[in-house]
Amino acid sequence: MSKSYFDTDNNGHKPFELPGARPHYNPDRPGQVEHIFLDLSLDIPKLCYQGSCSIRLLPIRNGIDRLTLDAVNLNIESVQVDEVPQNFNYDGEQLSIQLSQSTQIGKRLVIAIAYSVAKPQRGIYFIQPDKHYPNKPTQVWTQGEDEDSRFWFPCFDYPGQLSTSEIRVRVPNPLVAISNGELINTTEDGDYKIYHWLQQQVHPTYLMTLAVGDFAEIRDEWNEKPVTYYVEKGREEDAKRSMGKTPRMIEFLSQKYGYPYPFPKYAQVCVDDFIFGGMENTSTTLLTDRCLLDERAALDNRNTESLVVHELAHQWFGDLVVIKHWSHAWIKEGMASYSEVMWTEQEYSLQEAAYYRLLEARRYLSEDSSRYRRPMVTHIYREAIELYDRHIYEKGSCVYHMIRAQLGDELFWQAIQTFVQDNAHKTVETVDLLRAIEKATGRNLLFLFDQYVYRGGHPDFKVAYSWDGDANLAKITVTQTQAAEGKDGNKDLFDLKIPIGFGYTQQEEVRSNGKLSTQDLGLKTFTVRVNEREQSFYFPLENKPQFISFDVGNNYLKTVTLEYPIAELKAQLEFDSDPISRIYAAAALAKKGGLEATIALSASLKNDPLWGVRVEAAKQLAKINLDQAFDGLVAGLKDKNAYVRRAVVEALAQIKTAESYKVVRGLVQKGDPSYYVEAAASRVIGAIASANLEEKPKEDKVLKLLKGVLEEKAGWNEVVRSGAIAGLAEFKTSEAALNLLLEYTKLGVPQPLRLATIRALGKISVGQSPVNLERILEKLTELAKESFFLTQVSVAAALGQMETPKAVGILRSLAEQTADGRVRRSAEEEISKVQKNIGSEKTLLQLREDFDQLKQQNQELRSRLENLEAKSK
Ligand SMILES: [Zn+2]
């Protein structure tokens, strides 16, 4: 690890550690927790429950006379050990039990805690209809990860303790209760029913769960094990559409991981107002009900499929093999994210998987450049939840891919299977993965982990190419631009062996054994060691290559800037079999600009076999300021693939002309088979119409159009109407647009639409009059008081876009008052954004003043010049 928490030098990147961050360690173990038994009775209308928690503990040493459990905001009624009442202290966060008899090695004890909970803030969530949302379902669900189980039951709450568990819960009819493991008993009890679940494989407290609701149950199976989907009644078809591939995924992952699905059942429960996308509780994954797709949404939404395979992969990586400490969470999150890539490869194609991986890499790269840079493994933070970022998910996935590229497919899977088999039902740290790789393959990949896991960052390569025709020599110059010049930069250098390919597109006549034959030369590849800031490599070649493929396979996590002549870039865009290389070529071509690049990109948008490359070609075309680029782009609206049409519409936002306005307006009016394309059109029409066009469309006409969308297009997850909201937010000086937005922040507006509107308030605020700005601030102050996690996140996001110091005050109080570490962190990050916004606004003002001054001086000079000229005549 390159950085300690005392180190402030971070290469110009913002630090990950916020004030108050400190090292976190697992606590000392009094012994092994063997079993946890919760016996609960829910009173849903009163948002409370009561019951008992029994923990069986096998002491690790003699003479322990005090046990400390995590337990937050519970009402502890009594504590018994082996049925003998004990003295205890409870401060609202930790329960300290004074043992009347100190421990003896090997002599188990059962701690029984009677407790109740009223109106819990975290850990367990009660969902009910209210006067604003009368159709909301009645549900109770839990979320333990990372350290929230202690908010719903007392426990030794860290992932280093694995035990079996059991939950018996009494719920009112007709609700059902789903939990980990097997349902071993149900009992009718008047208007209530008691569900009794038993999890016989050990797991950590953060994976214990309970989900209660009036669900429809859809039964599927894999190898005679039940695979069940629970959804709100009426959504059975959506459930099958969204989760129906689960049994095939279980089969796929069982094969890949070399370990059959380890639990007695696999349930997925879709719950309302879930605060994450999904949570991989052991054998019982909870998912947000927003992942349920209708027929139209399934057209261009792969997110749900990815979510389903991600949570399923955790059943092995996370639940069967458990991380010992949060600092190693990348082991499970990286693999779960990589399972999305693997599944894409299995279900669609290798090329689609490569594109998926590029998108993951970009999400990490964007966090690295705009938020902070950190080692993937670090135990220095304020709250563990801060670690759940793009580093451990997306970068983690890219690291698994690099391991695969290093080892090759066969050895990679042997290593992974060894890791899973050796560590099943145990806890692991990063070093255990290295050990498993070495055990299975003999390879020591510490050099890779040192560079990509234990320190932050990645290489930024600049690659230049030239051809010496006299000597038939290709020269490739590679610069690692992330490292500063001179000795200071050395610590940021990467040392990697990188394959460089020379591509030949034409068939060549080859003489062998005296016979003349033709063969496709394809790619001629050499591997070079890149370990300095700037290195030039010379390759003697028989013929001039048509294109150059740097890092063949694009297996390394990196950025690249290609400095090749236009002919080579065009050839690469057309002929390189690696879609990622084609995408890099597209970006380099757009940078060159001009008609030749435009024609090549237009052809790529029209002809590339992979939709992902067509998407990228559209994005790049929009960067070229030529009428021909617009023509090429618009042709892409006819693409059969909805992702491409969406990208084309989004790209049109960059071309703010009357022509692009007309095209997008046509789309808003006549619609598209895809929700997302329609949403993009509504968003983009706002962006174009609010710009300074020569023939500017009347504002009220556009607002009317968007208002029409809001009135008529209620549909799946409010995607389309949220697009119209974003379109309205582009009218930053319009009071009418603001008034319309404020309407949609009211309670009673469907949740997703309301959240989108709250976010949009930030964007529209920057051009509003002082009076209207006040109205926005007042509204956000009011909204910040709502306790729902997603509302708070949206409020913080809105405030972060504002350019007034008053936003800082609201963010501060949000950070202070929130119960959630992630909201706190995001509020604090938004504060620095606002401060930056204010700064840049000041700079802009200064620039404007300077400019006006210059203009005036210029005019004076000109006048003088004219005078001189007049005199000289
Ligand atoms: Zn995950």
Side-chain angles (χ1 to χ4, degrees):
M1 177 162 52
S2 66
K3 194 159 58 80
S4 83
Y5 72 117
F6 302 109
D7 190 356
T8 52
D9 170 32
N10 199 22
N11 251 346
H13 288 263
K14 280 185 219 117
F16 164 71
E17 291 115 27
L18 292 175
R22 59 177 179 83
H24 284 77
Y25 308 100
N26 277 343
D28 293 335
R29 297 156 58 86
Q32 179 59 48
V33 174
E34 291 184 333
H35 188 67
I36 300 173
F37 175 34
L38 302 182
D39 193 358
L40 308 174
S41 175
L42 302 182
D43 186 341
I44 298 175
K46 289 196 179 134
L47 313 175
C48 67
Y49 62 97
Q50 50 104 12
S52 68
C53 169
S54 304
I55 300 173
R56 193 172 75 226
L57 181 82
L58 180 64
I60 207 161
R61 54 181 200 273
N62 293 325
I64 298 172
D65 58 7
R66 185 174 287 276
L67 295 172
T68 306
L69 283 81
D70 302 296
V72 184
N73 296 342
L74 313 178
N75 303 306
I76 306 290
E77 280 148 21
S78 69
V79 177
Q80 295 189 341
V81 168
D82 298 334
E83 293 174 0
V84 179
Q86 308 285 312
N87 289 328
F88 64 90
N89 259 318
Y90 182 53
D91 64 3
E93 288 194 6
Q94 291 200 308
L95 173 64
S96 173
I97 304 168
Q98 181 68 50
L99 295 177
S100 55
Q101 265 193 331
S102 59
T103 60
Q104 290 171 33
I105 294 178
K107 187 168 179 284
R108 288 180 175 79
L109 44 105
V110 175
I111 311 155
I113 301 154
Y115 74 109
S116 64
V117 176
K119 295 188 180 150
Q121 290 300 305
R122 291 167 72 160
I124 189 163
Y125 298 77
F126 287 78
I127 310 294
Q128 283 195 94
D130 62 21
K131 66 172 192 283
H132 300 294
Y133 298 97
N135 298 322
K136 220 177 211 343
T138 296
Q139 294 179 356
V140 178
W141 47 260
T142 66
Q143 171 60 38
E145 190 172 17
D146 47 285
E147 294 176 341
D148 281 1
S149 283
R150 62 189 68 177
F151 285 81
W152 71 283
F153 62 95
C155 51
F156 296 97
D157 196 11
Y158 59 96
Q161 280 280 9
L162 308 185
S163 70
T164 55
S165 72
E166 187 177 352
I167 297 183
R168 190 161 66 191
V169 61
R170 182 173 172 268
V171 299
N173 288 327
L175 306 189
V176 293
I178 303 127
S179 182
N180 316 94
E182 289 162 286
L183 184 62
I184 53 171
N185 194 19
T186 54
T187 322
E188 301 287 346
D189 180 13
D191 291 340
Y192 292 82
K193 195 165 177 178
I194 297 168
Y195 289 83
H196 193 163
W197 291 87
L198 176 65
Q199 163 75 29
Q200 290 184 283
Q201 293 86 10
V202 294
H203 66 155
T205 48
Y206 84 87
L207 293 173
M208 284 176 65
T209 193
L210 177 62
V212 176
D214 185 14
F215 298 116
E217 184 195 74
I218 295 111
R219 287 188 153 260
D220 219 329
E221 65 163 41
W222 173 82
N223 271 11
E224 290 167 20
K225 284 184 180 182
V227 174
T228 44
Y229 318 126
Y230 294 91
V231 292
E232 210 189 323
K233 286 181 176 151
R235 302 208 66 182
E236 290 86 345
E237 281 305 309
D238 294 348
K240 278 184 224 155
R241 182 180 298 114
S242 311
M243 296 177 277
K245 289 183 181 176
T246 308
R248 282 206 292 126
M249 290 172 174
I250 297 179
E251 177 62 28
F252 173 66
L253 294 179
S254 295
Q255 297 288 339
K256 285 286 173 195
Y257 296 151
Y259 200 105
Y261 177 77
F263 304 112
K265 64 127 198 293
Y266 187 56
Q268 290 169 93
V269 192
C270 295
V271 297
D272 191 73
D273 272 353
F274 197 53
I275 56 176
F276 298 104
M279 178 62 214
E280 70 272 21
N281 305 299
T282 316
S283 78
T284 308
T285 286
L286 302 197
L287 298 169
T288 168
D289 59 4
R290 290 183 65 181
C291 81
L292 290 168
L293 305 174
D294 71 10
E295 215 169 318
R296 252 184 98 187
L299 194 65
D300 55 345
N301 179 315
R302 290 257 186 94
N303 298 350
T304 293
E305 192 167 342
S306 293
L307 176 67
V308 169
V309 77
H310 178 110
E311 304 308 334
L312 178 63
H314 275 314
Q315 299 299 320
W316 288 264
F317 277 76
D319 299 6
L320 175 66
V321 177
V322 184
I323 51 161
K324 193 168 191 170
H325 188 266
W326 306 118
S327 51
H328 301 285
W330 82 272
I331 296 264
K332 71 181 183 79
E333 293 306 342
M335 179 50 92
S337 303
Y338 193 56
S339 77
E340 300 167 33
V341 177
M342 285 156 46
W343 179 252
T344 304
E345 185 179 323
Q346 160 80 9
E347 187 72 359
Y348 301 97
S349 70
L350 198 59
Q351 300 240 329
E352 292 218 20
Y355 185 56
Y356 197 99
R357 187 158 52 77
L358 176 71
L359 297 183
E360 287 195 335
R362 282 182 184 165
R363 281 197 289 278
Y364 149 72
L365 291 168
S366 141
E367 178 172 270
D368 176 82
S369 63
S370 66
R371 207 170 163 214
Y372 51 70
R373 167 170 291 182
R374 71 175 182 89
M376 286 203 318
V377 177
T378 178
H379 62 299
I380 299 156
Y381 46 78
R382 288 196 308 207
E383 295 182 43
I385 199 75
E386 296 173 72
L387 296 173
Y388 289 70
D389 62 3
R390 308 280 66 90
H391 279 67
I392 70 165
Y393 286 76
E394 283 85 354
K395 188 181 185 185
S397 170
C398 293
V399 167
Y400 273 107
H401 183 76
M402 287 190 285
I403 299 172
R404 181 175 167 188
Q406 286 291 330
L407 300 176
D409 260 28
E410 201 184 325
L411 291 184
F412 174 69
W413 291 115
Q414 279 174 23
I416 292 299
Q417 293 176 3
T418 301
F419 179 65
V420 173
Q421 286 156 8
D422 285 2
N423 295 292
H425 306 296
K426 290 183 196 158
T427 59
V428 294
E429 296 167 290
T430 302
V431 67
D432 295 306
L433 181 58
L434 275 168
R435 284 181 184 141
I437 293 169
E438 193 175 343
K439 180 180 169 191
T441 72
R443 293 285 307 277
N444 178 4
L445 296 191
L446 186 56
F447 75 96
L448 192 72
F449 281 53
D450 263 347
Q451 299 185 78
Y452 278 102
V453 176
Y454 294 121
R455 76 173 191 195
H458 55 267
D460 296 313
F461 293 118
K462 188 175 82 184
V463 188
Y465 159 77
S466 62
W467 173 253
D468 179 344
D470 295 334
N472 267 12
L473 213 55
K475 178 186 179 189
I476 303 277
T477 304
V478 181
T479 315
Q480 297 196 37
T481 60
Q482 82 283 358
E485 284 178 73
K487 268 195 178 154
D488 275 1
N490 285 352
K491 63 180 186 340
D492 299 316
L493 287 175
F494 277 72
D495 186 346
L496 303 168
K497 294 199 179 79
I498 297 184
I500 297 177
F502 297 93
Y504 295 89
T505 59
Q506 284 144 12
Q507 303 243 307
E508 273 282 318
E509 288 193 342
V510 178
R511 189 180 286 277
S512 71
N513 295 337
K515 269 169 117 188
L516 212 62
S517 61
T518 60
Q519 66 175 85
D520 191 345
L521 288 181
L523 212 60
K524 202 165 205 166
T525 303
F526 304 86
T527 297
V528 296
R529 181 177 179 192
V530 176
N531 62 343
E532 291 169 26
R533 185 168 193 280
E534 187 175 310
Q535 283 162 286
S536 289
F537 303 97
Y538 297 86
F539 304 91
L541 298 168
E542 277 177 38
N543 297 297
K544 186 182 181 192
Q546 268 75 50
F547 63 89
I548 300 88
S549 208
F550 177 77
D551 186 18
V552 175
N554 283 293
N555 293 317
Y556 286 111
L557 174 60
K558 63 182 183 296
T559 69
V560 304
T561 312
L562 303 181
E563 300 197 336
Y564 306 160
I566 199 161
E568 277 75 7
L569 290 174
K570 276 169 59 185
Q572 184 163 30
L573 178 60
E574 194 175 348
F575 297 113
D576 199 319
S577 62
D578 182 346
I580 308 306
S581 294
R582 299 205 293 280
I583 289 166
Y584 288 147
L589 271 171
K591 243 187 203 166
K592 292 209 185 280
L595 194 55
E596 215 182 335
T598 306
I599 292 169
L601 287 167
S602 302
S604 168
L605 170 56
K606 198 169 165 220
N607 302 324
D608 199 282
L610 185 66
W611 61 265
V613 178
R614 302 203 297 279
V615 162
E616 300 294 326
K619 283 188 201 169
Q620 297 302 339
L621 267 175
K623 294 181 182 166
I624 300 179
N625 292 320
L626 283 179
D627 291 349
Q628 287 89 339
F630 173 75
D631 298 339
L633 203 47
V634 167
L637 280 179
K638 296 202 185 77
D639 203 295
K640 282 204 174 67
N641 186 294
Y643 288 103
V644 179
R645 295 199 302 279
R646 194 198 307 185
V648 168
V649 176
E650 279 164 0
L652 283 170
Q654 309 298 316
I655 302 179
K656 296 181 167 75
T657 61
E659 288 73 31
S660 69
Y661 173 74
K662 265 179 221 145
V663 168
V664 180
R665 186 187 59 195
L667 199 52
V668 173
Q669 284 165 339
K670 85 174 193 318
D672 187 276
S674 153
Y675 291 121
Y676 293 102
V677 175
E678 287 192 354
S682 284
R683 194 162 61 234
V684 166
I685 201 169
I688 300 175
S690 61
N692 291 316
L693 301 188
E694 270 176 41
E695 310 158 47
K696 199 169 171 154
K698 285 224 171 68
E699 185 177 291
D700 53 349
K701 267 193 168 171
V702 188
L703 295 190
K704 207 176 142 198
L705 195 63
L706 291 174
K707 201 171 170 216
V709 174
L710 285 171
E711 280 159 3
E712 288 154 26
K713 294 267 183 173
W716 182 78
N717 277 358
E718 299 294 348
V719 165
V720 179
R721 294 208 286 175
S722 298
I725 289 289
L728 284 169
E730 297 282 351
F731 292 91
K732 299 184 183 97
T733 54
S734 163
E735 184 173 66
L738 174 63
N739 289 341
L740 205 48
L741 284 191
L742 288 170
E743 280 298 304
Y744 285 88
T745 62
K746 287 183 178 158
L747 281 165
V749 170
Q751 190 78 268
L753 182 59
R754 186 167 181 254
L755 294 175
T757 311
I758 293 171
R759 267 195 208 98
L761 287 180
K763 185 153 201 185
I764 202 171
S765 75
V766 295
Q768 295 289 328
S769 69
V771 177
N772 282 331
L773 189 61
E774 263 333 295
R775 288 171 67 206
I776 295 171
L777 287 164
E778 259 169 50
K779 176 53 80 178
L780 289 171
T781 309
E782 180 192 317
L783 291 164
K785 288 179 190 139
E786 291 183 22
S787 59
F788 183 47
F789 169 73
L790 294 178
T791 308
Q792 294 189 342
V793 169
S794 302
V795 168
L799 288 162
Q801 296 173 62
M802 298 184 76
E803 294 176 358
T804 162
K806 289 179 183 166
V808 175
I810 308 174
L811 283 164
R812 283 232 166 89
S813 61
L814 179 60
E816 278 159 25
Q817 284 161 23
T818 182
D820 194 288
R822 298 202 310 174
V823 174
R824 190 169 311 119
R825 168 144 205 145
S826 94
E828 287 176 22
E829 287 182 357
E830 300 298 348
I831 287 174
S832 43
K833 269 194 217 157
V834 177
Q835 282 162 343
K836 212 172 128 200
N837 295 346
I838 301 169
S840 67
E841 195 192 25
K842 274 188 191 148
T843 327
L844 205 65
L845 271 176
Q846 187 62 46
L847 277 174
R848 254 183 226 143
E849 277 171 28
D850 292 350
F851 180 67
D852 288 343
Q853 229 171 358
L854 279 172
K855 235 163 86 180
Q856 210 178 337
Q857 283 169 358
N858 190 28
Q859 207 169 330
E860 283 168 19
L861 281 170
R862 259 180 157 172
S863 312
R864 271 198 252 167
L865 199 63
E866 304 249 346
N867 279 340
L868 282 171
E869 272 177 29
K871 272 181 197 167
S872 71
K873 268 177 194 165

